[in-house]
Amino acid sequence: MPNVAVVGTQWGDEGKGKIVDLLTEYADLIVRFQGGNNAGHTLLVQNEKYILHLVPSGILYPEKLCLIGNGVVVDPQVLKNEISGLRERGIEVTPSRLRVSARAHMIMPYHKALDIAREEARGRVKIGTTGRGIGPCYEDKVGRRGIRLIDFIDRQGFMKRYLANLSEKEKYLRYVLGSDLPLEAEGERETLIELSRELAPYVSNVSVEIQKAVDSGRSVLFEGAQGTQLDIDHGTYPYVTSSNPVAGSACSGAGVGPRILDCVLGVVKAYTTRVGAGVFPTELQDETGTYLQEKGAEFGSTTGRKRRCGWQDMVVLREAARLNSLSGLAITKLDVLSGLDTIRICTGYENDEGLQEAMPPSLEELEKCRPIYEDLPGWSQPIGEARSFSELPMNAQDYLHRIEALSGVPIYLISVGPSREQTITERNPFDSDSTT
Ligand code: IMP
């Protein structure tokens, strides 16, 4: 049975949650492989809204196994709260349905304090992080002083590591960042120990679990978080997150080899959004931008910040196609474009050196790039009821055909509203003829 990765092609918030939720029906295992609770996957199921930050979106289907891979950074308090929040709403979340890699790194309270203090210290050149401690936790992982879930549940070993880190970070916070933010609240250690007890039953060897499932013919859905342009290596550095949202990281972040992936589905919003700071070549700072922001309810599902909005950018999408080996696209929020007279697509960038085919790695060069636009006629009618491609207005069909032609990637799914039903399926990524 095919294994599929779903990844974001832009700056995150493409609507991956809905697409993963939709495809979960065809998978047996759903695996998160990077990021942490900086992500916020919004799902609308039977008129009930769920926002998941850590638990894979597959949890809303009763019989699926959800795994959090080694590449994810886990805030134990957030995980515990998310589990209890889901249980209160009648969703079964037990260790038979949710497991976490023993190798996943834990976000400690001092990571959050450092994230916030660093942003403060950056003054006017803030990254605009979510403040969830993601970057500092990945730093400790790479610096080989992190605390993995397996270390967290070993009480004595944990305290030793925790205290050593705390003492180092206290000095850094005070003397380098000049911050007097408390690194540790009263009773924090007891809370952490209690959390480690509660999370112990969820510990697993995710890599082995996936291999066993695949060997017995089961299908895996790898759920990406954030988006390609936020990738620490390939995104608009330094205005990026601290993990690799590209598809290749499904392998290192879950503990599988690259041959396991049969299909990579890139989720792309019908326009572009970005939260936080950083270059955004097709950003609209006019009434059309406000229209998209308001009509698309473009607020961050983790921080509630307003998202910046702009036109569809084919340089960004072609980057995503190359960096992720995209097999197909899932276009989301097409309905938000209804009512615009003209829709613009950025087909390339130009700067003083001429046409830029790819995203320049230099931020300064990228900032000098001007988008080259192609204008297409819009459509006025609402499209939320369309259930097949032919039911879409001709101008919407033309817009989608143009995206396919300019990106070189076929469209598999089109989302015309937030609910599961509001989807047009051109090709199911789990059908064997959809895989590449
Ligand atoms: P961090 O991941 O909290 O360190 O934030 C780094 C940058 O990535 C900031 O610009 C955030 O707004 C952005 N970011 C992180 N996670 C997401 C996400 O899930 N969606 C959109 N942007 C994100």
Side-chain angles (χ1 to χ4, degrees):
M1 291 285 281
N3 302 310
V4 176
V6 173
V7 295
T9 59
Q10 297 160 315
W11 279 278
D13 308 317
E14 296 90 353
K16 295 177 292 297
K18 167 176 168 172
I19 301 298
V20 169
D21 172 64
L22 204 68
L23 296 177
T24 294
E25 185 181 342
Y26 310 97
D28 301 293
L29 272 69
I30 297 82
V31 186
R32 275 278 307 263
F33 54 87
Q34 47 72 227
N37 62 308
N38 47 351
H41 292 169
T42 308
L43 309 139
L44 190 68
V45 181
Q46 285 160 352
N47 279 331
E48 288 255 351
K49 188 172 170 182
Y50 297 85
I51 300 179
L52 298 170
H53 299 284
L54 264 176
V55 174
S57 304
I59 202 75
L60 301 184
Y61 282 79
E63 71 286 10
K64 312 289 176 177
L65 176 60
C66 293
L67 302 173
I68 296 179
N70 58 278
V72 177
V73 286
V74 177
D75 184 325
Q77 185 69 63
V78 171
L79 182 58
K80 190 211 143 176
N81 293 350
E82 204 159 295
I83 293 173
S84 16
L86 284 164
R87 280 191 188 142
E88 277 162 24
R89 296 177 73 177
I91 313 285
E92 188 207 338
V93 193
T94 58
S96 63
R97 296 217 46 221
L98 174 71
R99 293 182 206 144
V100 187
S101 169
R103 293 184 167 88
H105 280 249
M106 300 284 107
I107 298 179
M108 291 287 119
Y110 50 71
H111 289 135
K112 284 177 270 184
L114 281 176
D115 200 359
I116 294 163
R118 279 232 190 86
E119 280 285 86
E120 278 301 307
R122 280 189 188 109
R124 289 194 301 114
V125 286
K126 291 189 191 351
I127 305 278
T129 75
T130 58
R132 302 295 190 264
I134 307 294
C137 183
Y138 277 116
E139 278 176 44
D140 276 357
K141 172 178 177 173
V142 178
R144 291 160 293 189
R145 55 182 172 263
I147 297 174
R148 302 169 305 163
L149 180 55
I150 195 71
D151 310 318
F152 184 49
I153 61 169
D154 160 21
R155 196 167 159 176
Q156 282 181 353
F158 163 61
M159 253 320 135
K160 221 168 74 198
R161 290 181 172 93
Y162 175 80
L163 293 175
N165 282 349
L166 199 65
S167 131
E168 185 196 72
K169 297 197 193 305
E170 244 156 20
K171 292 184 195 92
Y172 179 70
L173 195 75
R174 183 159 316 148
Y175 301 117
V176 179
L177 296 178
S179 165
D180 51 13
L181 263 182
L183 270 185
E184 205 188 25
E186 206 167 308
E188 194 100 74
R189 291 178 206 178
E190 291 71 26
T191 309
L192 287 168
I193 285 166
E194 182 52 32
L195 282 169
S196 75
R197 261 195 226 107
E198 293 188 52
L199 295 183
Y202 295 88
V203 182
S204 156
N205 188 330
V206 164
S207 167
V208 171
E209 296 237 26
I210 299 175
Q211 189 63 52
K212 276 192 193 151
V214 169
D215 288 347
S216 61
R218 298 167 83 201
S219 276
V220 186
L221 175 52
F222 294 92
E223 175 179 4
Q226 289 85 45
T228 303
Q229 285 305 326
L230 288 174
D231 189 279
I232 184 81
D233 287 289
H234 304 290
T236 43
Y237 191 89
Y239 296 97
V240 292
T241 191
S242 299
S243 68
N244 290 107
V246 292
S249 140
C251 300
S252 57
V256 298
R259 286 194 296 138
I260 200 170
L261 289 181
D262 299 295
C263 175
V264 181
L265 185 69
V267 184
V268 50
K269 207 180 274 188
Y271 46 99
T272 310
T273 61
R274 176 164 202 175
V275 250
V279 62
F280 180 177
T282 63
E283 181 169 14
L284 286 162
Q285 281 163 327
D286 57 9
E287 68 277 12
T288 310
T290 310
Y291 176 87
L292 293 173
Q293 197 277 323
E294 287 173 357
K295 189 158 179 222
E298 294 295 352
F299 290 97
S301 41
T302 299
T303 58
R305 289 179 289 181
K306 263 190 190 176
R307 295 177 184 144
R308 301 152 67 193
C309 297
W311 296 117
Q312 186 60 261
D313 186 336
M314 284 301 130
V315 181
V316 165
L317 195 51
R318 285 194 293 262
E319 288 283 307
R322 187 182 74 250
L323 292 163
N324 296 288
S325 301
L326 293 183
S327 320
L329 299 175
I331 308 276
T332 59
K333 290 193 146 180
L334 187 63
D335 51 304
V336 174
L337 295 184
S338 295
L340 290 171
D341 291 337
T342 302
I343 295 172
R344 309 191 94 183
I345 304 185
C346 164
T347 56
Y349 299 155
E350 61 182 348
N351 61 12
D352 296 343
E353 271 88 66
L355 191 68
Q356 297 297 312
E357 294 279 322
M359 208 93 170
S362 148
L363 200 63
E364 287 71 25
E365 283 303 310
L366 183 57
E367 275 164 355
K368 286 187 210 145
C369 283
R370 296 174 297 274
I372 304 166
Y373 284 117
E374 188 175 298
D375 287 355
L376 280 85
W379 59 92
S380 54
Q381 57 273 60
I383 56 170
E385 299 300 316
R387 295 294 176 268
S388 68
F389 194 80
S390 60
E391 283 171 39
L392 290 171
M394 277 318 286
N395 288 351
Q397 296 186 20
D398 289 345
Y399 179 62
L400 296 174
H401 281 141
R402 202 67 194 120
I403 290 177
E404 280 185 320
L406 289 166
S407 67
V409 187
I411 293 176
Y412 283 13
L413 301 168
I414 303 153
S415 170
V416 291
S419 73
R420 277 181 189 162
E421 299 71 40
Q422 291 177 294
T423 312
I424 298 168
T425 305
E426 290 287 277
R427 269 157 94 166
N428 182 337
F430 280 92
D431 286 348
S432 39
D433 63 352
S434 295
T435 58
T436 51

